Every structure is written in structure tokens, then in C-alpha cells.
Amino acid sequence: MSDFLFSSRRLPPGCLAKELESIYLEDPVSAREFHGDWGSLAITPSRYSGFAPVENGTHFCVIIGGPVLYFHDNHFLTGNDDQAGTRAILAHFEEGQVDWGEDLSGPFVILIIDKASRRVICITDLMMFIPVYRYLRKSWLVLGTHVDALAGACGPEVDFDEASLVDFILHDVVTFPYSAYHQIRQCHPATKHVFRLLRHGKAPCLERTAYWLPSETATFPNLKEAAEVLKEGLNGYIERVTGSMRRVAQFISGGEDSRVLAALLPPWLERDSFIFLNSMTREGRIAEKVASASGTRFLADYRDELHYLSILPEASSLVGSGHQYIHAHALGFHRRHGLADYDAVFGGYVSDSLLKSRSARKLPLSSFFSFLPQWQLPGETRTQAVKNPLFPDRLLQEVTRRRREHFRRVRALRPQSAHEWFSLWPMTMRLGISNLYSNRRLFRSYEVFMAKEAVKVSAACPARWKLNRRLFLAAFGPYLKRTRFLLHADGRLPAFPWWVNFPLHTTLWTARELARRLGLQTRYQGSWADWKTLMASPEWAMARAGVRPEYVRLPSLCAALASGALQEHGLSAIQRINLLQTCQQVSNASLRRQAEWRSTSARIC
């Protein structure tokens, strides 16, 4: 399934379905509902074959996402039996032999309702790539995979949490385990949650058991062995996914992750490589050469300068409040190119985060001068007091408290790398993870570097092995040989270590930076949005002016708007984008509630 909503109270027919269907502003879907003594459940259709819900005499089982099975073959991914995968998982569970950390791989959520014992079992994946939210108050439990849909199902007593929204505006995420709403919390990663639904109006009991933790314990004697496990693991993952497939797609770029992915995909498959750009840039030309060298068909498409403003309503609704909409890069293009028709669409997201220690604390200069080698710095900066003149001190202090609380939890697991894993555990702390939230609802998305082997190797390796791409090259260097003399978009040769690249990378970086500063290079060369051009447009000014304070209704946001927060006063460009997204989502929720109130009043009259 793509999404579910579960309520321990039996709700009127259509209530939960309406909330799930509201996620999609375009290409509407129909949600199915189920009701019983255990409560009410709504689901939307899955993009992945074989994972339709299964109900037997004792259990009801729902699978979210497209997990890859390691205890069973995966031929059902292209078969005609739409319940085969769900039946296999449910049978494995009922046998009592399941190991959630080994038997399934990739993003998933499993919901099992034990009808006789009135137990609701929810299992999250290793990193909570797909989040689950819960509302637990008095005798009522509500679970769901989309935070706005869950809030809508809970009714008017659930409202936006101003501290969370300020956190999102300033840091691009809502600090775990909070959400954009009061009283709604995130569930835990790599955890089996068991809710016992008691009768006579008593509150449900929660039992929580972690089946895996990213503890900072070395399990590999050396980097070479870790690289071998990583390489074999990802090869095995791809073999399991593609074993019965004929036609697949992948996202390609001028970088190294997509080159490795192109080399890992079996050559006997019919393969199409997609890139979406503002125009044919340096990145696109390199990607075309990579596709040619890899034997895949290259397909480029172009967005206009206002694309990321145009998709704001649809993408925001799709990914949910508290998650950046700007990472829904394939939205719109998925219709034009029929991405839902492919057996699988592969991506290379989170390789930088998990395998190259992108979030580790490094010398500040290395972020700007990309040709410099990376060194991990001691200490951390995650717990610094949050300050911004646009927002009230009480909210900033609460955000600071939450971030420090989260840091303490992570440090208990990873004392040496808490700064890095602060933004990885769980993956809802990763600002770009909403890319998956969008993609998995639109087509059969498979992110190779989210395989369980990539996650576990990352957790078992110290940052010094991952910095400067040491682990990545040790594992995947052979897959880069075919394009070893083809430059990366940033001016280096990905098949070689930093010390080989240093002279070439330094020279090219300096020349390009000089050309940009002298005005000789005026064409935008980036992969995603050209925010400078977009924010200078009349359309951006109209969107900014269209934010109505009376509908935003939250004092902290209204005060920030009155202080010119959308006009470059006190916020960065991305923070202004976050603010605009947040104001629109709050306004839309307010307008929707007013419309529902008027509808209810009319029925009463």
C-alpha cells in the first residue's frame, strides 16, 4: 500500500478514506476502508506489485512500500498475484521465525492487526525511511503514514505545533520524535510496536521492542572487509529486485552514485536513464556520456524557471507538513514519461549520507573548497542554542531543548559520531528524505543505498573510513572504471582518490569560480532549482503577497511575516521557502476546517 490510516475507534464509513484521498491534488486515488471490532482502517493502492492487503481468520496485514524479501523469492514484483508478497510476510510472521532486520530490506512499514487478541503490531524499517505517526490519547489510538491525513482524522483537537513549525523553518526538519502537530509523535525506527487495545474505554498499552540499533561497535577488522560486504550486499539486493523484471529506469546525473548504479544494473534489462534539468548543462552532457558508456537509453527533460514554485501545492500535500516539498524532483515528470509503467525506477539517494559521512563535522572550508581533503573535527554543534530575531524566545528555547534531547539519545548509541548521526537516526532527520516520500507514492521507487547492507555497514564503520570516499571507492571502484576518465560535474575524476584528483580538481574549481565571479559564466549549472532567479520573479512576489495572515492564524508566523521574513529579513533563501510552504499548509488547513464547519452547520440547520 502507499499509505494507511488506522483508528482503534470504529469511525463512520468514508471518514478515513477522505483524509487519505486528500493527499493527492492531481491524479486522485480511491482509498479502501475496512471496519471491525478492532476499529477502522483505510488504505490507498500500492505502486508495488504483490503487496495488496491480506485478511485471514486471525490477522489483517498491510504492507507499505516495496520491501525486498530475503527469506522468499521476489518474482511476485512482476506477477499477477497482487497479494503474494503480503501473504509470504504474514505467513513468515505467523510461523514465529521472522527476523525483521535480516528478512526484509529497504523502506517499508508493516501493520498487522490481530483481530482476536485486539493487538495492533506496527514494524518500521531499519532507519524509518518511511515514517509512521501516532496519536495516542485516553482510549483512542490513531496510526498513519501521512501526518496531515492523520491530523485530519483526529479532528479539531489536534492543531499545529508552533515550536515544530519554527524548527522546520530554521532547520528543514522537525526534530524527532515530534511532528508538525501537537499530540502527534513519530514512531521509532527499527522497532516492533505492539499496541494492546483494551476494552471499557481504557488507554491502549504500548510495548516497544527495537530489533536493531546503530550502535557504535566495530564489526569489521578493516575497511577492505567492510567494502566487500557492502558490494556483495548491494549486488544481492539488485539481483533480488530485478530477477523477474524486463524494463527498468534509473535517475542519472553527472556524479558518481548514478554511475555505480548504472554499472550494477544487469545489462540484459531494457534500461532508460532520466535526468531533469533547467537546461542542457555541464551536468546533463556528462550524464549523457555516462549513459552511453553504460549502454542505457538517455532521456533528458527540462523544467521552466518557475517549476519549483508551480509544484508547491501538489508536492506539499504529497509529502506532508514538516517535510520539505522541494525534493519532489520527479513530480510532474513522472506523468510525462510514464514512470509508473516501469517495473522499477532506481535511484542513488543517501549514498553521500550513509557511505561518505556527509553529515560528519568537518573543516568549514571543505564545504566551500570541495577539492580540499576531509578531516573529521572533534566536538559537535548540534546542541547550540537556537537564535533568530523573527521568532519568540519561548519557541526557540523549546526547539533548543528538543534538539538537545535528541542529541542525548543519539550520543548514547554513538558517542564518537553523535554529530553525524544526529541527522541520520532516524532518517526523518534527513532534510532530503521527502524525495522518497514523493517518489514512492508516484511509481515503484527503489533506492539501492537504502538496502539493509548499506545501512548496517554504514553504522559499523567509523567516519574516517567513509570520509574522502574511501569506503565508497573500496567497494565500488571497479564499477567506475568504464567512466574513469569522464569528469564528475564538480570537476574531478570519481574513480580516483582525492590526492590523485587534487591538482585537476583545484585547477578546474578555481577556473570555474573565477569565470563566475567575472561574469564570464552566467548560465545556471546547478542540478535543481535556480532559487536566485525564481525569487527575483514576479510570480514569487505574487506567491509571497498571497500569504494571508488571517488564515495563517499562528502568532509566531504572523509576527515573522509582519517583520518581513519573506523579504530576505533574517532568513536564508531555503528558510524563506520553508516559511512559504508552512504558511500555505497552515492556511489550507484553516480554510478546510472552516469549510467543514460551514458544511456541518448547514446539515444541522
Side-chain angles (χ1 to χ4, degrees), residues 8 36-39 114-119 138-140 195-205:
S8 63
D37 292 339
W38 40 264
D114 188 328
K115 295 182 289 186
S117 66
R118 291 176 56 83
R119 291 191 311 159
K138 296 182 179 178
S139 61
W140 192 18
F195 300 90
R196 297 183 183 275
L197 307 180
L198 305 178
R199 299 183 187 275
H200 310 300
K202 294 182 179 180
C205 295

Side-chain angles (χ1 to χ4, degrees), residues 543-589:
R544 191 177 60 197
V547 175
R548 303 280 297 276
E550 61 266 31
Y551 292 133
V552 173
R553 66 185 172 77
L554 297 178
S556 60
L557 298 188
C558 290
L561 293 172
S563 300
L566 286 174
Q567 288 91 14
E568 302 186 35
H569 295 295
L571 297 178
S572 68
I574 295 300
Q575 288 172 335
R576 296 200 301 277
I577 293 287
N578 293 343
L579 176 59
L580 180 65
Q581 175 187 348
T582 300
C583 288
Q584 290 206 4
Q585 287 174 315
V586 172
S587 297
N588 290 341

Side-chain angles (χ1 to χ4, degrees), residues 349-518:
Y349 181 54
V350 305
S351 171
D352 285 353
S353 300
L354 290 177
L355 305 180
K356 304 172 194 174
S357 284
R358 181 175 185 173
S359 300
R361 189 174 182 227
K362 301 181 284 286
L363 288 171
L365 287 178
S366 64
S367 299
F368 181 71
F369 299 106
S370 58
F371 51 83
L372 292 176
Q374 299 172 337
W375 283 286
Q376 183 181 17
L377 293 180
E380 55 87 16
T381 59
R382 307 296 193 184
T383 60
Q384 292 178 351
V386 178
K387 297 184 182 299
N388 189 286
L390 293 172
F391 299 106
D393 287 342
R394 63 176 179 83
L395 295 181
L396 297 175
Q397 290 167 5
E398 173 61 14
V399 172
T400 300
R401 185 195 67 79
R402 294 178 181 186
R403 288 171 64 84
R404 289 174 177 172
E405 178 185 71
H406 177 58
F407 184 84
R408 284 193 294 271
R409 283 192 298 267
V410 175
R411 186 172 56 187
L413 289 171
R414 305 190 64 89
Q416 302 301 317
S417 55
H419 179 95
E420 176 185 2
W421 280 76
F422 176 92
S423 61
L424 297 179
W425 181 253
M427 196 53 72
T428 51
M429 291 296 293
R430 189 83 214 113
L431 59 91
I433 194 61
S434 49
N435 175 258
L436 174 67
Y437 302 168
S438 171
N439 287 353
R440 74 172 189 83
R441 291 180 171 116
L442 302 176
F443 47 82
R444 300 176 187 91
S445 172
Y446 288 90
E447 293 292 348
V448 174
F449 298 105
M450 294 182 187
K452 65 184 179 69
E453 292 84 1
V455 171
K456 292 182 177 181
V457 169
S458 172
C461 291
R464 67 178 184 277
W465 288 7
K466 293 181 279 186
L467 290 174
N468 297 303
R469 304 161 49 249
R470 291 178 63 207
L471 174 65
F472 186 85
L473 282 179
F476 305 119
Y479 297 99
L480 294 169
K481 286 185 177 178
R482 193 178 299 173
T483 58
R484 61 185 177 277
F485 297 120
L486 186 59
L487 285 173
H488 189 288
D490 67 10
R492 57 185 169 83
L493 294 170
F496 299 96
W498 76 267
W499 50 270
V500 173
N501 270 293
F502 187 78
L504 174 65
H505 195 183
T506 303
T507 301
L508 282 175
W509 185 93
T510 303
R512 290 173 181 176
E513 184 66 16
L514 187 60
R516 185 184 68 82
R517 290 178 179 271
L518 293 176

Side-chain angles (χ1 to χ4, degrees), residues 248-265:
V248 303
Q250 79 159 101
F251 296 123
I252 201 163
S253 70
E256 60 196 6
D257 301 331
S258 63
R259 299 186 195 196
V260 168
L261 177 56
L264 285 170
L265 290 174

Side-chain angles (χ1 to χ4, degrees), residues 118-123 141 191-197 204-209:
R118 291 176 56 83
R119 291 191 311 159
V120 177
I121 303 162
C122 181
I123 299 100
L141 167 69
T191 296
K192 177 183 177 181
H193 306 76
V194 180
F195 300 90
R196 297 183 183 275
L197 307 180
C205 295
L206 169 61
E207 299 173 7
R208 195 167 60 218
T209 306

